[in-house]
Amino acid sequence: MSLARVAAAAGRSAALPLVLSVSAIDLDGTEATDGTDGAGTDRIGFHDEVVLPVASTAKLLLLAEIARRLDAGELRGDRTVDVLPEDRAGGTGLLGRLGRTGWTVEDLCWLTASVSDNTATNALLRLVGRDATARLAERLTLRDLTLHDSVRDVRGPGVPPVFATGTARDLARLVAHAARGTMVSAGASARLLQWMRANTDHGLVPALVAHDPYAPGFPAPAPGALLIANKTGTDTGVRADVGLLIGTRRLAYAVVAHWDTALGASTERAAVHALRDVGRTLADCAMLPGPG
C-alpha cells in the first residue's frame, strides 16, 4: 500500500500560514515509500523531521516510562501518590478541581491518558523525573522527543517556554513501537495502547472518521470497523494528534500543526481543518485491503 495519499492531503496545507508535520507508518506494509521505518513497513513523512512544540502528545513518553516500570516490577500500580499543591495545574483534567489528594499510579495514568489531566501528569512526572523520560527516548532512538518541564498555567522568565518539543516522526515511531510490542517489552507496549484507547478527545484526526470510540474488541476490530487509540495536544499555536488506526491495516500516525497566534482565530480553524483532512485520508488508508 502506498501512503502517498496521506502526503498529498498534508500538502494541501502548503498555502496556509502554518507548519503541518505528518508521519504515518503502515505496520502491515511491505513496500517502502518515503523510506522504511523498520523491517517490512511503509512510512510516509511530510515535514516530519521538523522539531515543533507538541503539547500534551508528549505525555505519551511519560506514560511509556510508567508502563515500562510497571511491567518490570519497578513500580506498583496500586502505589498511592499524594498530589501536592505544586502539582496542581489548570487546563485539561479533573484532579485540579477535586478535593482528594491521594491517587494510585494507575489512577493517575488513566486520568493522564483519558482526559489529558495536567495535575495527574505533574504528579507522575515528579514521581519518575524528566531524566527517566529522556533515557527512554534515547533507548527507543526518539532523538528529538523531549519533556522540558512540568505543565504550568503561566510560563514566565526562568522556565522553559514550552512543556515539550518533538517531531511527528518520533511520535509516530513511539506508537509504532507500542503496536509492535517493542516498546521495551510486550507488556509495557500493550499497557500504553490500552491507556491511549481511553482517550476522550476525538476532535482532531478522528473527527471526520466513522468510528465508535467505545467499540469493544481493541485491538481486533470487527469486520469493516475501525478502532482508534490516540493522544491529542492543545496549546497556544499548537494542535497535535498522535495515535494508532486499526482497520484492515494498522497505521501509526502523528500530525502536528504549529502557527503564529498573532494571525488570529482563522489560522487556528485552518489548522484544525488540516488535521481532520489528513485524518480522513489516514482512515481511508487503514481500511484498504490488508496484506495477503
Side-chain angles (χ1 to χ4, degrees), residues 255-271:
V255 188
V256 182
H258 182 256
W259 68 94
D260 182 351
T261 56
L263 296 174
S266 62
T267 303
E268 178 181 347
R269 290 192 294 270

Side-chain angles (χ1 to χ4, degrees), residues 13 25 102 134 191 205 265 280:
S13 69
I25 303 169
R191 192 184 296 266
V205 163
R280 184 163 42 191

Side-chain angles (χ1 to χ4, degrees), residues 29 49 109 125-126 143 176 206 237 245:
E49 295 186 76
C109 289
L125 193 54
R126 176 171 51 80
R143 290 179 292 271
L245 296 166

